[in-house]
Amino acid sequence: MRIITTRRISQTFFFLLFLWFCAVSTLGEQVWQLRGWPVGWLLELDPLVGLGTLLATGTLYAGLLWGLLTVVLTIFLGRVFCGWICPFGALHQAVGWLAGRKRSAAVQIAANRYRPAQRIKYVILIFLLSGAAGDFLAWLLDLSVESSIAVAGIAAASLACGIAAVRVRKAFWRRWTTVLVLLIIGWVGLGFLTDGSRLLAASLQTGLLDPLPLFYRSVNLTLLPLLDGRMAAFSSPGRLYPGSVAIGLLFWTVVLLNLVIPRFYCRFICPLGALLEILGRNALYRMGQKPDGCTACGACDRHCEGACDPSTTLRSAECVLCMNCLDRCPHDVMGYGLHPSAAGEMAGPDLSKREFTAALVSGVAAVPLLRLSGGVDANWNPAVIRPPGALDEANFLRRCIKCGQCMRVCPTNVIHPAGLQAGIEGIWTPVLNFRVGTSGCQRGCIACGQLCPTAAIRPIPLDERLGRGEFADRGPIRIGTAFVDRGRCLPWAMDRPCIVCQENCPVSPKAIFTREEFRPVRLSGDLRLREMVEDRLLFDGPALPAERFATGDYFVTLEESPDIAPVRIKDIGSGGISLAENPFVETASPGARITVRVKLQLPFVDPSACIGCGICEHECPVKGRRAIRVSAENASRDRQHRLLL
Amino acid sequence: MSETAMDRREFIRRCTRAGVCVAAAGSLGVAFYDSRAPAAIPGPTAALTLPDYSVGPLPGRICIARGVDRKRLVRQAFAALGGMQAFVNPGERVLLKVNAAFASPPGLGATTHPDLVKAVVRLCLEAGAKKVTVTDNPINDPASCFALSGIDAAARQAGADVIVPRQSLFQRFSLTGGRLVRDWPVLAAPLLQADRIIGLAPVKDHHRSGASMTLKNWYGLLGGRRNIFHQDVHTLIAELAVMIRPTVVVLDGTQSMITNGPTGGSLSDLKPTGTLIVSTDPVAADAAGAALLGKQAQDLPFIARAEKAGAGTTDYRALNLKEIKAI
Ligand code: SF4
């Protein structure tokens, strides 16, 4: 079998596996729906997820250890992941091939030649990783302040070395000791400058461009919902994701760029590719030319997926191991092995010192700049309601890779990709939108945390969510608190009975309770008693339409009988108002004023019982801006948001 | 022959490099591997314990002095209790916890009066204190509070340092047996750098707790979103009374804020009550001070709760009580 056939089979396999994982990440009855499939495995295999969270949190969470497999493979074999496994790479390769297959050889060669701009992906990688390394950096700088004796020791020693080196008059040693001394001075100086700086923080943004989270997110949130239909129900229920247009735009842009340059994303943007390039720079096995036989026919350059100039000096780090050159070479010159390429090879693009430093420094500086908004601090946004089990905001931003797994699996479609409400750092992180979906956040559901590959949403047991068993003393997990907007609430503001919210409150005993009030209704004129016939009151005044007032919620009181509780209206007809009983016979006399009162149950929220599930908000019949809304106050994920003692 | 040798050397070099990389990546991965998700609530921070600043096991002493001039009052009251040297030993560091809560001028009585601050600083220095520090975590902007209340200038003039609170001076603290003060930021740095603590508080009406005197004054040692404690202010004050065992407290009732507390804002909120109380027992001081607001100790639930918690006694007459008239 031809090697590229094998590669295509591998690519197809992983591509289909990826689609399968996306499709099955939904709760349902069907055999194919979430039955312990390792749906996040491809994300875990992505070492950029592992490295990013490792830098940001100092831990490598559970399944992310899989990334090590990719790392080892890359060190030995080069970028097999890019050429053989990555489903996003496969998509790019397919689209690029489709777009270019009819083009002339010269055009294809031109499209596939190496371009210096391919080093941009390093800039992106370094920028994103240094943003994630803020805490690590803070720790390093703290170290310089905390153990200043040690630092002074090192400084003295290096100074001594420097003096010795100058004495030795070796230019090489002189340079290096100067650099060392400057580094130490800079380290200690910066340490003092940033001592106690609360802004130096880590923010994991690799997921914005990391191919696997990007692909998962795009398919989960913009493709499957579109494909959902009568033929194939990919999600129960049909999905809405407000704000996902930006996700789709990014996706289609990078896919369509293949029409201009094949594998545009892989060559210029992909930070994972850049990471694997670095790891695979000195791979044991690599593509290369055998010593004799090359006629410079260009067949290899024409089909090179990595744009790494196989016909001349091969840029081995750029090579994605598509093996097209090996297959296409009519003279059998290309080989994959331990030998360096006969025509010469070099690792690949290198950043200049200046570019490297610029990317690093801007990445480190970007996060403190973003944190100045105070979004994880005094200026936290109560509209950002995170799924149950989500970590506190600062830790959440250290982990979330915006893969959208939680949004995909959420059975009620209540988890959505954030726009700007969680700050620029929080773009496409999960927030709850109770207006959308089938209901609020189901009390008995813990699906999102089970799928989150990074534990940005912790995998909580149901007992923890409900606050029972060993978690009884902590109480249930609260994601926010519902607040009644008395200016919009039907009973509170408009004298109309309602309390849908109270009925739907799933907590037991209910977190929404009511207090009864009889309020006089607004009529166009006074009602005066003309005559009383048993349980009927005949009256003068404006008509009382039975369809409104004889519903059982309306009552009357009489002016002269203040002590008599309101009496329910049974019916209204030509004979006047029929009452359920008539206690007024004793006291009332003709001419007395009749007041029609509506019995209202006014909703109140008990904040110690409310878990913020948002079902009330979802169900509230005031459909525009709901009259009861959840906000993040009292969410258990951050003690700073505590509302009650 | 030579080519093969080259290749072999090159091969070994590459293998070693790959091996080292794999080993490095592998050990990094394994070293930082974490099979469990982070805890729901981050673990408790390093345990902070606060010292007991009180003067040994002597029975409590209290002096109620009548007069109008703060400087004289406080001098003579301390003299009646054996002088400042009975409380501060030579070479000790003293922390004065003032009430600087509001950016309000001294005449309005919302903050500890600068004359009192000055007098107590001098007394401490005369007793041989090595260092006197003045602090509080006010409600309004700290720098403005210290400046406008006149406390900053008075303290410095008399030779004390003023610590304006900053984030880095706070540490999380849990009160043993406490229900509210749990893992809560406390203005720890000045507390830990002092051998003695003297509380200096004005007598003020307080809408929520009924009165702000020497016990309520400790509220200003808390950081964070402390106003959440207003939901149970009496318990909180009682816990503060257990948290801080001061050397001595001075309750300044030469003028008392009778209405509109604790901010006041008008001279008409003040009433000359001509009393200054110095006590080793803040519960006793507050119990005695309640009268200045026209209240009784039992009207103020936090006093009873503090007593029950073992922070002092409401029966100030049972202590070694001195009553003097300042001349
Ligand atoms: S929180 Fe959601 S989007 Fe973020 S990493 Fe976890 S599953 Fe992915």
Side-chain angles (χ1 to χ4, degrees):
Chain A
M1 190 158 54
R2 283 156 70 196
I3 186 82
I4 61 166
T5 312
T6 320
R7 187 207 72 218
R8 281 185 192 141
I9 292 174
S10 165
Q11 282 180 299
T12 315
F13 170 75
F14 282 105
F15 188 77
L16 292 178
L17 187 70
F18 165 78
L19 289 183
W20 176 250
F21 284 161
C22 286
V24 303
S25 302
T26 181
L27 299 175
E29 311 280 85
Q30 312 290 336
V31 270
W32 53 271
Q33 286 166 328
L34 206 61
R35 288 281 178 278
W37 302 105
V39 291
W41 183 61
L42 288 166
L43 283 168
E44 295 169 342
L45 215 50
D46 172 349
L48 186 53
V49 177
L51 180 62
T53 48
L54 175 61
L55 273 175
T57 66
T59 61
L60 192 62
Y61 173 62
L64 299 181
L65 199 59
W66 277 108
L68 212 53
L69 177 67
T70 310
V71 169
V72 172
L73 276 180
T74 311
I75 290 173
F76 284 120
L77 303 179
R79 294 166 61 188
V80 263
F81 186 85
C82 299
W84 291 58
I85 299 176
C86 181
F88 204 34
L91 176 70
H92 290 302
Q93 186 161 349
V95 177
W97 174 77
L98 277 175
R101 70 192 191 286
K102 296 262 170 63
R103 289 179 188 149
S104 72
V107 174
Q108 286 181 345
I109 290 177
N112 284 338
R113 67 166 204 280
Y114 170 78
R115 291 173 177 80
Q118 281 170 232
R119 70 188 192 287
I120 291 174
K121 58 181 173 294
Y122 288 108
V123 174
I124 294 175
L125 174 73
I126 291 163
F127 178 83
L128 294 174
L129 284 185
S130 52
D135 280 323
F136 178 59
L137 203 80
W139 175 77
L140 276 182
L141 292 174
D142 271 0
L143 210 63
S144 78
V145 179
E146 274 159 19
S147 60
S148 43
I149 302 169
V151 175
I154 300 172
S158 57
L159 206 68
C161 288
I163 293 167
V166 174
R167 280 284 177 85
V168 177
R169 289 188 185 288
K170 269 245 170 101
F172 175 80
W173 284 114
R174 216 181 307 156
R175 222 182 71 217
W176 278 107
T177 35
T178 324
V179 170
L180 185 68
V181 170
L182 284 179
L183 272 180
I184 292 182
I185 293 175
W187 176 43
V188 179
L190 262 178
F192 276 105
L193 269 180
T194 56
D195 188 20
S197 163
R198 67 205 154 79
L199 294 175
L200 212 56
S203 181
L204 187 61
Q205 298 300 324
T206 52
L208 287 174
L209 293 174
D210 188 348
L212 285 150
L214 192 159
F215 201 17
Y216 264 96
R217 174 173 74 227
S218 307
V219 172
N220 281 344
L221 306 185
T222 71
L223 289 184
L224 288 180
L226 291 180
L227 295 178
D228 252 342
R230 211 179 313 159
M231 300 289 290
F234 283 107
S235 5
S236 56
R239 300 271 141 163
L240 289 180
Y241 293 108
S244 58
V245 60
I247 295 171
L249 268 180
L250 174 66
F251 176 72
W252 287 110
T253 309
V254 297
V255 169
L256 293 179
L257 278 169
N258 287 304
L259 306 184
V260 187
I261 295 178
R263 276 203 186 239
F264 181 97
Y265 186 79
C266 312
R267 293 180 194 174
F268 298 99
I269 302 174
C270 184
L272 174 61
L275 176 67
L276 296 177
E277 271 184 31
I278 295 169
L279 290 170
R281 273 191 168 222
N282 298 301
L284 223 47
Y285 279 81
R286 52 187 93 176
M287 299 303 301
Q289 284 185 26
K290 292 168 197 159
D292 308 300
C294 175
T295 61
C297 66
C300 50
D301 286 346
R302 183 174 166 191
H303 299 286
C304 177
E305 285 290 319
C308 46
D309 291 348
S311 68
T312 56
T313 312
L314 195 141
R315 298 181 181 260
S316 45
E318 291 287 294
C319 171
V320 295
L321 296 181
C322 68
M323 309 241 171
N324 280 344
C325 53
L326 195 150
D327 185 71
R328 300 288 183 146
C329 178
H331 313 288
D332 200 18
V333 163
M334 298 305 292
Y336 178 59
L338 298 162
H339 290 270
S341 182
E345 62 177 37
M346 60 196 284
D350 263 320
L351 290 186
S352 69
K353 261 191 220 127
R354 188 180 302 201
E355 287 162 336
F356 176 82
T357 321
L360 187 81
V361 171
S362 48
V364 169
V367 182
L369 196 63
L370 292 172
R371 290 290 157 96
L372 278 178
S373 72
V376 296
D377 217 329
N379 194 27
W380 61 279
N381 183 356
V384 175
I385 297 157
R386 302 276 192 204
L391 300 177
D392 63 278
E393 193 65 8
N395 277 311
F396 186 85
L397 292 173
R398 285 190 185 107
R399 285 177 183 261
C400 177
I401 52 167
K402 312 155 194 278
C403 62
Q405 292 285 79
C406 49
M407 310 168 203
R408 165 88 185 117
V409 77
C410 176
T412 61
N413 188 208
V414 78
I415 312 183
H416 296 262
L420 285 172
Q421 62 267 53
I424 291 179
E425 290 173 84
I427 287 177
W428 301 336
T429 56
V431 290
L432 272 61
N433 179 339
F434 297 114
R435 292 186 62 185
V436 182
T438 52
S439 67
C441 178
Q442 297 289 306
R443 203 167 146 257
C445 172
I446 46 170
C448 49
Q450 307 298 323
L451 250 64
C452 178
T454 62
I457 307 172
R458 294 179 301 116
I460 46 172
L462 190 57
D463 274 356
E464 180 173 357
R465 167 121 208 223
L466 297 174
R468 43 173 213 210
E470 55 173 314
F471 301 94
D473 54 331
R474 269 198 241 154
I477 289 187
R478 298 178 307 270
I479 55 177
T481 302
F483 289 81
V484 179
D485 186 339
R486 294 190 180 179
R488 308 188 128 249
C489 171
L490 292 170
W492 273 108
M494 298 167 192
D495 290 350
R496 294 294 191 280
C498 175
I499 60 150
V500 172
C501 54
Q502 188 268 357
E503 286 156 12
N504 281 284
C505 176
V507 180
S508 173
K510 286 185 188 291
I512 302 179
F513 61 95
T514 59
R515 290 197 171 112
E516 235 173 56
E517 202 174 298
F518 290 90
R519 285 199 199 147
V521 302
R522 194 166 169 259
L523 297 172
S524 56
D526 277 357
L527 294 181
R528 298 274 173 198
L529 182 64
R530 192 177 334 127
E531 192 188 334
M532 231 183 289
V533 186
E534 292 174 358
D535 286 349
R536 277 184 296 132
L537 308 183
L538 304 179
F539 60 91
D540 298 318
L544 297 178
E547 63 275 15
R548 177 158 171 223
F549 295 108
T551 54
D553 288 319
Y554 290 83
F555 291 71
V556 293
T557 51
L558 250 66
E559 191 177 37
E560 289 164 9
S561 322
D563 297 335
I564 296 178
V567 180
R568 173 175 278 126
I569 298 176
K570 207 164 69 184
D571 206 355
I572 299 176
S574 50
I577 306 172
S578 313
L579 296 176
E581 51 177 336
N582 189 359
F584 301 113
V585 270
E586 304 284 315
T587 44
S589 54
R593 194 154 100 203
I594 303 175
T595 310
V596 178
R597 293 178 186 267
V598 56
K599 181 172 129 188
L600 294 170
Q601 292 159 299
L602 304 171
F604 289 80
V605 176
D606 176 354
S608 65
C610 179
I611 55 171
C613 71
I615 290 175
C616 52
E617 178 172 345
H618 183 269
E619 298 302 326
C620 175
V622 183
K623 280 292 175 227
R625 189 171 161 71
R626 304 292 207 265
I628 184 163
R629 298 185 299 276
V630 173
S631 81
E633 278 88 359
N634 216 21
S636 22
R637 73 187 183 110
D638 194 331
R639 283 180 306 171
Q640 289 302 306
H641 302 177
R642 192 162 94 168
L643 187 63
L644 301 180
L645 279 180
Chain B
M1 184 65 196
S2 68
E3 200 185 295
T4 338
M6 261 274 285
D7 273 356
R8 183 176 300 147
R9 209 185 304 144
E10 168 70 14
F11 177 65
I12 292 175
R13 211 164 59 86
R14 280 211 224 157
C15 280
T16 330
R17 200 158 44 190
V20 169
C21 289
V22 167
S27 41
L28 266 180
V30 173
F32 290 100
Y33 177 68
D34 184 5
S35 63
R36 296 160 59 101
I41 299 154
T45 36
L48 166 73
T49 42
L50 293 176
D52 182 341
Y53 304 93
S54 56
V55 271
L58 289 174
R61 280 169 280 173
I62 183 167
C63 174
I64 301 179
R66 313 273 175 196
V68 286
D69 182 62
R70 291 186 174 85
K71 192 172 140 199
R72 284 208 194 134
L73 275 169
V74 75
R75 273 193 176 268
Q76 295 180 16
F78 266 105
L81 295 179
M84 188 58 98
Q85 52 278 15
F87 306 101
V88 173
N89 299 318
E92 284 184 332
R93 300 161 300 175
V94 185
L95 177 68
L96 305 186
K97 165 64 180 78
V98 296
N99 182 340
F102 302 104
S104 149
L108 292 179
T111 48
T112 304
H113 200 279
D115 289 352
L116 180 66
V117 177
K118 204 186 285 182
V120 176
V121 172
R122 293 229 162 101
L123 281 171
C124 293
L125 291 174
E126 285 163 21
K130 184 168 77 182
K131 186 170 171 185
V132 184
T133 316
V134 175
T135 201
D136 187 22
N137 181 26
I139 294 168
N140 296 161
D141 165 60
S144 322
C145 286
F146 279 103
L148 283 179
S149 64
I151 294 175
D152 186 75
R156 287 179 200 282
Q157 253 173 43
D161 285 348
V162 174
I163 294 185
V164 180
R166 275 178 280 125
Q167 199 65 48
S168 56
L169 303 180
F170 288 87
Q171 278 183 48
R172 293 194 166 267
F173 171 76
S174 295
L175 181 68
T176 330
R179 184 164 60 84
L180 303 182
V181 184
R182 293 221 63 85
D183 201 15
W184 198 266
V186 162
L187 188 51
L191 286 172
L192 295 178
Q193 284 159 21
D195 306 304
R196 299 289 170 201
I197 286 187
I198 303 181
L200 305 180
V203 177
K204 296 198 287 177
D205 163 48
H206 191 271
H207 207 68
R208 177 70 182 96
S209 67
S212 169
M213 293 183 287
T214 67
L215 289 172
K216 172 77 176 57
N217 188 28
W218 306 131
Y219 216 113
L221 291 171
L222 298 178
R225 287 176 53 229
R226 59 187 177 188
N227 49 16
I228 197 174
F229 294 129
H230 270 50
Q231 291 170 39
D232 190 359
V233 79
H234 297 294
T235 307
L236 192 263
I237 299 176
E239 289 194 5
L240 290 173
V242 178
M243 175 175 122
I244 299 290
R245 302 291 186 147
T247 313
V248 60
V249 292
V250 180
L251 181 62
D252 176 9
T254 43
Q255 299 272 339
S256 295
M257 184 184 287
I258 300 292
T259 50
N260 226 7
T263 49
S266 155
L267 287 175
S268 60
D269 292 324
L270 302 182
K271 178 178 149 194
T273 41
T275 306
L276 185 136
I277 301 171
V278 176
S279 170
T280 55
D281 179 342
V283 181
D286 281 14
L292 305 177
L293 291 170
K295 303 191 180 194
Q296 295 190 323
Q298 54 266 37
D299 300 336
L300 302 170
F302 66 84
I303 294 187
R305 290 182 154 252
E307 180 177 43
K308 195 163 154 234
T313 172
T314 46
D315 188 5
Y316 61 94
R317 292 181 192 284
L319 298 180
N320 190 352
L321 170 67
K322 299 259 185 331
E323 288 193 78
I324 61 169
K325 220 168 163 50
I327 20 157

